[in-house]
Amino acid sequence: MKSFIKEFREFITDGNIIDMAIAFIMGGALQVLLKALVDDIFMPIIGIFTGAVSFADIVWQVGPAQIKIGSFISAAITFVLTGLIIFIMVKAMNKARALTGKTDDDDEADDETELAVLQAIRDELAEQNKINTHAKSNQS
């Protein structure tokens, strides 16, 4: 249980979780903004062409059920716009990352090089330890 709590604490205090929380909050704000854009600007314009006063008022009556097709179309447009904006943001971030010239593969190569250097140091120290131990045993 202690290791679980320790892992959770590391996860929460890691910078990535903070970045993710900020992205989540910004995504919620973006969603509200896009919903207002679609409902208050796009849908009235579309309503002019379809002859409806409010696009959200377009309802199909099937027996006692009401199918609110206008609300669904509004939500679908909001979804597509959200996806488009996220796509553009990710593409811009990837381009910025490419301009820095550092990728995840570079990080792995750096780690492997560092590991090789540390292993070489360990081997050299072990060799020196053997020589010192051998010299001391010959002096005795």
Side-chain angles (χ1 to χ4, degrees):
M1 184 68 174
K2 288 182 182 181
S3 65
F4 176 80
I5 293 171
K6 181 181 176 189
E7 288 179 40
F8 181 70
R9 186 177 326 134
E10 289 173 6
F11 174 74
I12 289 296
T13 58
D14 186 20
N16 292 336
I17 192 72
I18 303 300
D19 294 342
M20 189 171 68
I22 291 169
F24 184 77
I25 291 168
M26 292 299 295
L30 175 68
Q31 187 71 22
V32 170
L33 178 67
L34 286 176
K35 182 163 177 35
L37 176 71
V38 169
D39 291 345
D40 299 335
I41 296 175
F42 290 164
M43 287 299 127
I45 293 171
I46 293 172
I48 292 170
F49 295 113
T50 61
V53 175
S54 173
F55 203 77
D57 292 337
I58 297 176
V59 177
W60 291 345
Q61 190 75 28
V62 180
Q66 289 185 345
I67 300 172
K68 298 179 180 182
I69 191 70
S71 294
F72 175 76
I73 292 172
S74 175
I77 291 171
T78 302
F79 173 76
V80 169
L81 286 176
T82 303
L84 177 67
I85 289 174
I86 290 172
F87 171 74
I88 291 168
M89 290 172 63
V90 168
K91 188 171 177 143
M93 287 176 52
N94 288 340
K95 187 172 184 177
R97 188 176 293 139
L99 290 176
T100 63
K102 185 128 177 136
T103 63
D104 292 338
D105 294 337
D106 292 341
D107 291 339
E108 289 176 13
D110 291 345
D111 290 344
E112 290 175 11
T113 304
E114 185 177 330
L115 179 62
V117 169
L118 290 173
Q119 287 174 339
I121 291 170
R122 178 201 61 200
D123 295 342
E124 183 67 29
L125 289 172
E127 187 65 32
Q128 287 179 0
N129 191 24
K130 285 181 187 176
I131 292 172
N132 290 340
T133 306
H134 189 307
K136 286 181 182 178
S137 66
N138 286 342
Q139 289 176 353
S140 302

